[in-house]
Each structure stands twice: as structure tokens, then as C-alpha cells.
Amino acid sequence: MPMRCPAVGRSATLSCPLRNPEGNVAGRTRVLVVPSEPEEICTNKSSVSFPPTAGAKYRQDLHYGSPEWHAMYSTARNTIEGFNGYVKDANHEALDQPGRRRVRGYAAQYLLTAMLIVSANLRKIEAFIREHGKDEGVVAKSPKKRRPRRRDRLANYKPTASVPTDGDPPAD
């Protein structure tokens, strides 16, 4: 794999005394400790080839932002971000509101966070069963029927015979 010194070229990010003897270049991080015996990457004019094992831990086969990268990672990322928003819903778990978890210590915070995640998962399972349970043969609880809301409007109030109107005495 070809690599070059980060202080070389138009896209350089470092200012190294070995490459820029005139001093620090504005906007670049300065190398403060210069190696006494520079490696090949420091002395080569262009790039150096490295074996595949060098930096294998940080290697990414798909170029970031490419169509292949989007096809591989966008679904998983959208799933995670969607669940994060679901857990942060203020009407349910409200994971992003620390005032709902007023305990001290990492262990207690960890436990309460785990309980909120379990609660969100149960809510998702219940919603799935409610929506798809009949198709899969699972018996789902039917949602409770609500009575229609009573509309209290001024037109609904009618004077009765026992209530005096306009200052007249009540009729017997």
C-alpha cells in the first residue's frame, strides 16, 4: 500500500523541519520532536510502499462516501440513529433528559439506561405484535375503544325551569 509523509504535497497536514526547513507553515500542525534517524518515509521524495499488515487495524476497504460505502453502511447507521431518536422520545423513555435519572454513579446510570432501553424494546415489540400479530397467528391485545370526547359548547347549555333567567322568579 503506497503512503507518503503527511508533510509532503498540496494536501499536507504537518509542518516538519525535515520537509520545511524554513519553519512552521500556517494552518499545519508542527512536528515538535524530529527523529534523530529518520525512516524511509521521511527521506523519500514521493511515497513508500507498506505491507498490508501495517495499519491493518485501521484499514477501511471501502472508500468513505463512495456509493459502495453508502450501500454497506447507510442502512445500519439509519437503524441505529432511528432507535436513538426513539429512545429519546420525551413522551416515553426520554433517555436524553438526565433529570429523569437523578442518581449518582456510573453503575446506577448504566442500570437505569439499560432499563430504559429494555422499555423501548418492549414498546417496539408490542407495537409490532399489534400491527402484524394477526398475520402471524399471534394473539394481540386489541386497543381499548375510547368514547368520543364530549364537546362542551355554549350551545349545549339550555336554561331549565328551576334556574331563573333575566331576573324573573323561578316558575313553580
Side-chain angles (χ1 to χ4, degrees):
M1 174 184 300
M3 293 186 181
R4 68 177 180 191
C5 174
V8 176
R10 293 186 343 197
S11 61
T13 56
L14 291 178
S15 177
C16 178
L18 294 174
R19 297 291 185 168
N20 306 330
E22 64 272 359
N24 190 22
V25 177
R28 296 184 188 172
T29 304
R30 187 177 356 168
V31 175
L32 300 176
V33 180
V34 180
S36 57
E37 296 180 20
E39 298 286 331
E40 182 183 0
I41 196 164
C42 291
T43 58
N44 195 354
K45 294 284 183 197
S46 57
S47 63
V48 178
S49 294
F50 288 92
T53 56
K57 179 179 179 181
Y58 302 106
R59 182 182 169 119
Q60 183 173 340
D61 291 329
L62 301 175
H63 183 68
Y64 175 76
S66 68
E68 296 84 15
W69 181 88
H70 277 290
M72 176 65 77
Y73 294 109
S74 63
T75 302
R77 181 177 173 90
N78 288 340
T79 302
I80 295 299
E81 293 299 330
F83 186 73
N84 288 344
Y86 188 79
V87 173
K88 293 177 182 180
D89 183 8
N91 292 328
H92 296 283
E93 288 80 23
L95 184 62
D96 64 337
Q97 296 177 7
R100 302 243 346 232
R101 304 181 313 275
R102 292 185 183 228
V103 291
R104 296 175 87 175
Y106 288 118
Q109 291 290 329
Y110 184 82
L111 179 66
L112 287 176
T113 301
M115 289 172 49
L116 290 174
I117 298 294
V118 168
S119 169
N121 281 329
L122 290 174
R123 193 163 53 99
K124 277 189 161 259
I125 291 169
E126 182 183 16
F128 178 84
I129 290 174
R130 195 177 315 120
E131 186 176 334
H132 299 287
K134 295 173 188 165
D135 299 338
E136 302 294 326
V138 178
V139 177
K141 289 194 313 185
S142 61
K144 293 181 181 178
K145 300 279 186 188
R146 287 187 157 181
R147 293 186 318 181
R149 185 174 166 208
R150 189 177 130 200
R151 312 277 292 193
D152 291 333
R153 295 195 176 163
L154 191 57
N156 294 341
Y157 294 104
K158 297 179 180 158
T160 60
S162 62
V163 178
T165 59
D166 299 329
D168 295 334
D172 288 296

